[in-house]
Amino acid sequence: MQKLMLFLLFSLFVSSCKQAEHITPQRINMTESIYSSVIIQPDSLYQVYAIISGILEKTFVEEGQLVTKNQALFKVTNTAPELNVQNAKLALDLATDNYSGGVTVLQSIEDEINAALLNYKNDSINFFRQKNLWDQRIGSKIEYDTKKLNYDLSKNNLTTLQSKLNRTKNELYINVKQAKNNYTTTLVATKDYTIKSSITGKVYAINKSLGELINTATPIATLGSANQFVIEMLVDEVDIVKVIIGQQVIISLDAYKGEVFTAKVTKILPKKDERNQTFMVEALFETPPNVLYPGLSGEANIVIGKRDNVLTIPLAYLLDDNQVKTDAGLVTIKTGMRNMEYIEVLSGITEKTLLYKTEE
């Protein structure tokens, strides 16, 4: 009798446990969102470069300092030797002399033209004299053809030399302009060069120390907005089509544990990052934290849908994306919105349907 009672109690316990395993669909206010990692960066962030190579002679700012647009940041002294300037000046003088005719470049061509012109006039006189005689049937055909050939050759030679003179003048003029530009560049490059800020903002990093060699390919510093920060999010390519400008973003930052911030999507960069198959999406805080630094990280949920009184089930009870286990066995359902915990049920079951978890 005692064993029978223990068996009945055990059966009731097992039965109650099994009953506790089932649930029914519930109606909730549901939000569908896309998850993304977050990096905080200052707005208008840019790297400062020098347009000349040289030595960093002076630094007018410090890291963390606020600056205004066109404020002096750094002074660079160019290290180009004075020999470059001297060579550029010699090249300019030579090009100017060649163009002005002070040397033999143009003069020699002009001398050739004068000689060719005299030859042309002489051959012209001989040809037309012979032509008049030939028109009167005086003289031989060979004499006429010879005079005509000499005339044509003289005429062509004169035209060729005149074209050569014009072409040489143009080339020498271009040489003068190029030499002048090169000379001006070398003069500027030997002077001190002051780099100024392009924005009103803050100096976030200085990469060079006084006395270091500066080149045009390496950034000297990093500047950005002092109080306007951009939320950068990497969104997977399967979700990017659901993101539009103006959507709300829920932000949590590692530096502000337990706090939640809201933002709005402001920009979707159309180029995909082939390395991680993601797109860059930017957002701006609606009410930013009091203190922000470049590189702060966190998580974001971009809200892509929100509805009230939605029939849902936990994702743990969903099988193969569209089936649930009921008293009647596996039932196919039509689903809608989903988030990290729940999925919307559009049809297939009701609020009274008992649902069971499948065994792992």
Side-chain angles (χ1 to χ4, degrees), residues 230-242:
V230 175
I231 304 161
E232 295 183 349
M233 300 173 288
L234 296 179
V235 177
D236 192 275
E237 64 175 332
V238 300
D239 295 321
I240 191 63
V241 294
K242 303 174 186 176

Side-chain angles (χ1 to χ4, degrees), residues 189-205:
T190 56
K191 296 179 180 179
D192 295 337
Y193 179 75
T194 300
I195 303 172
K196 299 180 179 180
S197 174
S198 299
I199 64 169
T200 296
K202 180 186 286 188
V203 180
Y204 285 99

Side-chain angles (χ1 to χ4, degrees), residues 143-319:
E143 289 179 314
Y144 172 79
D145 290 340
T146 300
K147 296 293 191 298
K148 185 176 185 306
L149 177 61
N150 291 337
Y151 168 74
D152 291 338
L153 291 174
S154 298
K155 182 178 180 181
N156 290 337
N157 184 45
L158 180 62
T159 302
T160 300
L161 289 173
Q162 288 172 336
S163 297
K164 180 181 178 181
L165 178 64
N166 293 332
R167 184 173 64 252
T168 304
K169 281 184 178 181
N170 290 333
E171 291 174 352
L172 293 176
Y173 175 74
I174 293 174
N175 289 341
V176 170
K177 297 290 289 184
Q178 290 177 337
K180 186 178 293 184
N181 291 340
N182 186 45
Y183 177 61
T184 302
T185 300
T186 55
L187 283 178
V188 172
T190 56
K191 296 179 180 179
D192 295 337
Y193 179 75
T194 300
I195 303 172
K196 299 180 179 180
S197 174
S198 299
I199 64 169
T200 296
K202 180 186 286 188
V203 180
Y204 285 99
I206 297 178
N207 307 320
K208 295 292 184 179
S209 301
L210 291 179
E212 277 196 67
L213 179 64
I214 303 298
N215 59 55
T216 58
T218 304
I220 303 174
T222 302
L223 272 66
S225 173
N227 47 31
Q228 187 73 41
F229 287 82
V230 175
I231 304 161
E232 295 183 349
M233 300 173 288
L234 296 179
V235 177
D236 192 275
E237 64 175 332
V238 300
D239 295 321
I240 191 63
V241 294
K242 303 174 186 176
V243 180
I244 59 175
I245 303 297
Q247 285 175 331
Q248 187 180 45
V249 185
I250 309 300
I251 307 290
S252 61
L253 297 175
D254 296 340
Y256 290 90
K257 292 291 185 182
E259 296 189 53
V260 175
F261 306 94
T262 58
K264 293 287 186 182
V265 174
T266 56
K267 184 185 294 185
I268 303 171
L269 278 64
K271 181 171 173 46
K272 183 174 74 172
D273 188 333
E274 297 294 344
R275 295 170 298 177
N276 50 28
Q277 305 298 304
T278 59
F279 288 83
M280 175 69 74
V281 176
E282 294 183 359
L284 294 178
F285 284 106
E286 293 182 320
T287 304
N290 293 330
V291 180
L292 286 173
Y293 291 97
L296 289 182
S297 61
E299 298 178 330
N301 283 284
I302 305 172
V303 179
I304 61 174
K306 184 185 294 185
R307 288 209 301 274
D308 296 338
N309 198 31
V310 176
L311 185 65
T312 65
I313 63 171
L315 285 173
Y317 285 78
L318 185 65
L319 301 172

Side-chain angles (χ1 to χ4, degrees), residues 91-121:
L92 176 60
D93 292 341
L94 178 60
T96 303
D97 287 341
N98 288 339
Y99 180 68
S100 62
V103 290
T104 59
V105 177
L106 292 178
Q107 188 62 50
S108 62
I109 300 177
E110 291 175 350
D111 291 342
E112 289 183 61
I113 290 177
N114 290 333
L117 181 60
L118 292 175
N119 193 47
Y120 168 72
K121 289 180 178 179

